[in-house]
Amino acid sequence: MEFSAVRQPIYNARKVKVAYQVSFINREQLSNKCIPAAVFQDRSDPRNLSELLERAGIGSYSDNKTMVISFERETLRGIIDYFFSSRNVVMELSPNEVFDAELLKLIRTARKSQYHIVLNEKALLSGNEKFLNYASHIKVNAAGKSQEIIQLLVNKAQRHGVRIIIENIASDEEFNQYRTLSVDFFKGSVFSKQDLLEVRANKLQEGSLLNVFQHVMTEDYCYRELTDILASDSKLTHKLISLLNSVMYGREGNIYSIKQAICFIGENKMRKFISLLTAQELTDTRPEDIYNKATSRARFCELLAIKMGRRRAVVDRAFLSGLFSNLPDILGLDMEEALDMLKIHDDIKMALTGSGGELQQLVDMVIAYESADWEKLAKLTEGSSVSFDLVPRLYRQMLREMKSDAYLLN
C-alpha cells in the first residue's frame, strides 16, 4: 500500500536539525494529517515499530533522524499493546482529540510501554494538568501569541518536566526570544531564512559572480564571452569545475577547464549550474537547509514540469523558479528587489511575484506540498495535467534524487 506524506524539519536550540515532522495525506479528509491506520495491519513478527514503518516505506522520510508522527486515538490504541516502542518515532496525538478520561488512560498505557507522546497545548489548560504526567513533549504554537503567553505556557510545561516544541516561528527575533526560555525544540520558516544581519546582497558584487549569473540568464548567451568572464576569476572557475566534477563522480573523465565544461554541458545545463553555484555562494555562511530547500524546490518544480509534458525551455525555467522561490530568504531583500538585481527571465519573475502563468502554478504546488496544505494542493491540481495523487510520488522521487546530484546531468 502506498502512503503519501511530507516532512518538515525540527531543530534544537543550536539550529541543528534533529527530527522531522511527517504529515500524511488523507484524501477523504484533507485536514487530517495523521498516519493511516492501514500501516499497522501487518502483525507479523518482529513487532518492532520502526521496522514496520521501514517496510511500509515511511522510513525513507527520516534520513536516520527521529520522526514525529501524528496519530488518531483509535490508531494509537491498536498499536501500543502490540508493537514495541521505537526510539526513532515520537507519537503526536491529533489536535482534534478531546482530552477526556479515555484519552488519559490511553496515554498512561503508552507511557508505561515506553512510548514518547506529544500533546498539544490544550494539555496546559486548567483541568488538564494530569495529562502532563504522561506526556514526553508539549507542542506550543507561536502563531498569534504574545511573548508573555508563550512564557506562561512554557513555564507550566517545565514545572511538570515536559519537553517543549515551539512551532510556527517566523523570525530570528522570535527564535532568539524563545531560546532564552530554555525550550528544547523549534519548528518554523525561520530556519530557511537568512538572518537580516547577514544580508548576502553584497556577495553578488564580489568578483565575477553577478556578471556570470546575469550573462547566462540571457537567451543564447555568448560562450566566448562567458569563458572570458570566468577566466578573470580563478576562484569562481575552480568552484564551478569542482561542482561539475562532484556531480560527475563515477563517470569517465573529469573536467579541467572552463572551455571543456562549456562544451560538455551546453547552454541550458550551464545556466542551471551557474544558478546553483550562485545560490551556494549566497548561503555559504548559513545553515545548509537554506540551500537544500532551494535545490529541493528546484528539482520538485522540474519534475512537475516534465510530467506535465512541458517543452525543455519551460522545464529549465521551472528548475530556476523553484531554486529562487525563496530568494528573499537567501538575499534578505524583497522578491522584486532581488529579481531586479539578478535580471532573471520575465517568465520566472512573473512566477515569483505572483503575476500568474504556468511557472507560478508549479511553484505554488511545491510550496503547498511543503506546507502540508492539502486543501490548497487539491485546488491547484484540479483540472491540471498533474493529478493530486501524482504530486507525492514526485516528492518521493525528489527526496531519493537529492541524496545524489547526478540528476543534474540528466
Side-chain angles (χ1 to χ4, degrees):
M1 185 174 180
E2 189 175 90
F3 305 101
S4 301
V6 67
R7 68 185 190 186
Q8 297 157 319
I10 297 173
Y11 301 82
N12 64 17
R14 298 187 302 279
K15 290 191 176 182
V16 175
K17 189 190 306 175
V18 294
Y20 284 108
Q21 176 90 49
V22 181
S23 301
F24 292 81
I25 298 177
N26 184 325
R27 286 304 305 271
E28 285 71 40
Q29 187 182 359
L30 291 176
S31 61
N32 180 3
K33 299 175 184 178
C34 296
I35 190 168
V39 172
F40 305 99
Q41 289 175 350
D42 182 355
R43 295 288 171 139
S44 59
D45 286 326
R47 296 185 295 175
N48 185 289
L49 187 61
S50 57
E51 288 187 19
L52 181 141
L53 295 176
E54 194 69 42
R55 288 198 301 272
I58 295 167
S60 62
Y61 293 93
S62 72
D63 273 351
N64 297 317
K65 292 181 172 56
T66 298
M67 291 186 291
V68 179
I69 298 175
S70 187
F71 283 77
E72 292 180 303
R73 182 185 307 212
E74 292 304 314
T75 308
L76 183 60
R77 180 185 290 111
I79 68 173
I80 58 174
D81 284 329
Y82 183 85
F83 294 102
F84 300 122
S85 62
S86 171
R87 292 170 55 190
N88 298 325
V89 178
V90 175
M91 297 177 167
E92 178 181 4
L93 261 294
S94 168
N96 299 325
E97 296 293 344
V98 177
F99 281 61
D100 55 21
E102 182 187 43
L103 182 65
L104 180 63
K105 181 179 178 181
L106 182 63
I107 67 166
R108 183 191 298 127
T109 302
R111 185 61 177 264
K112 288 180 180 177
S113 299
Q114 299 184 329
Y115 284 96
H116 298 291
I117 301 293
V118 180
L119 297 178
N120 62 57
E121 60 195 63
K122 288 191 293 186
L124 298 171
L125 297 177
S126 180
N128 288 339
E129 290 85 352
K130 49 181 154 310
F131 287 88
L132 298 174
N133 297 325
Y134 307 105
S136 58
H137 302 72
I138 291 293
K139 186 179 279 188
V140 175
N141 188 348
K145 292 188 179 71
S146 67
Q147 172 74 12
E148 291 73 20
I149 294 297
I150 298 291
Q151 175 85 66
L152 290 172
L153 294 173
V154 167
N155 288 347
K156 187 167 186 178
Q158 288 174 338
R159 285 197 299 272
H160 286 81
V162 182
R163 307 189 83 179
I164 302 153
I165 304 170
I166 296 188
E167 62 178 351
N168 291 322
I169 302 172
S171 70
D172 277 291
E173 182 182 9
E174 284 185 8
F175 171 72
N176 290 328
Q177 288 174 343
Y178 300 142
R179 187 162 54 175
T180 64
L181 304 179
S182 300
V183 171
D184 303 279
F185 305 110
F186 306 85
K187 179 172 172 276
S189 60
V190 63
F191 299 101
S192 294
K193 295 180 178 181
Q194 293 275 26
D195 287 329
L196 292 179
L197 296 177
E198 294 189 35
V199 173
R200 306 304 297 162
N202 291 336
K203 184 82 172 180
L204 282 169
Q205 310 295 343
E206 298 172 9
S208 307
L209 183 58
L210 183 58
N211 287 338
V212 171
F213 182 85
Q214 290 179 341
H215 184 72
V216 299
M217 284 298 109
T218 60
E219 296 293 333
D220 301 318
Y221 62 80
C222 175
Y223 282 30
R224 180 176 295 177
E225 188 175 343
L226 175 61
T227 304
D228 291 341
I229 297 172
L230 286 167
S232 67
D233 191 331
S234 59
K235 181 180 177 183
L236 188 60
T237 300
H238 173 74
K239 287 187 174 183
L240 178 60
I241 291 175
S242 296
L243 177 61
L244 288 170
N245 284 329
S246 70
V247 170
M248 292 179 60
Y249 182 79
R251 299 182 181 223
E252 290 187 11
N254 280 318
I255 291 174
Y256 298 101
S257 70
I258 197 60
K259 286 184 180 180
Q260 187 183 2
I262 290 173
C263 292
F264 178 78
I265 65 175
E267 178 181 327
N268 289 330
K269 285 193 176 68
M270 178 59 77
R271 187 175 289 119
K272 181 184 289 187
F273 275 102
I274 292 294
S275 300
L276 286 167
L277 182 62
T278 301
Q280 194 176 74
E281 284 286 284
L282 294 173
T283 57
D284 65 346
T285 63
R286 301 293 291 126
E288 64 177 357
D289 275 359
I290 296 177
Y291 177 72
N292 290 344
K293 182 175 184 177
T295 54
S296 297
R297 282 186 177 181
R299 181 53 176 166
F300 200 179
C301 281
E302 188 177 41
L303 287 171
L304 285 166
I306 291 170
K307 287 297 181 182
M308 287 180 172
R310 299 297 185 252
R311 56 193 173 88
R312 186 70 245 178
V314 175
V315 171
D316 291 335
R317 287 173 192 162
F319 181 92
L320 296 176
S321 298
L323 186 69
F324 292 112
S325 58
N326 65 335
L327 199 53
D329 302 333
I330 292 174
L331 280 174
L333 300 173
D334 290 339
M335 180 63 85
E336 291 190 8
E337 288 182 283
L339 293 174
D340 286 342
M341 174 184 290
L342 295 177
K343 302 190 185 308
I344 288 175
H345 193 280
D346 287 344
D347 286 355
I348 301 174
K349 276 188 178 182
M350 287 179 60
L352 300 184
T353 55
S355 301
E358 60 183 344
L359 293 178
Q360 182 185 335
Q361 182 187 21
L362 296 173
V363 172
D364 288 348
M365 283 182 184
V366 167
I367 294 175
Y369 196 87
E370 269 184 2
S371 307
D373 189 343
W374 310 138
E375 289 92 345
K376 183 174 182 179
L377 182 64
K379 291 177 183 177
L380 288 167
T381 54
E382 188 175 358
S384 167
S385 54
V386 169
S387 68
F388 182 94
D389 293 329
L390 179 59
V391 179
R393 292 203 290 273
L394 296 179
Y395 176 80
R396 290 194 295 273
Q397 180 179 340
M398 179 274 292
L399 288 183
R400 291 193 301 270
E401 292 182 349
M402 293 309 294
K403 294 178 180 179
S404 165
D405 291 328
Y407 72 88
L408 292 170
L409 290 178
N410 293 336

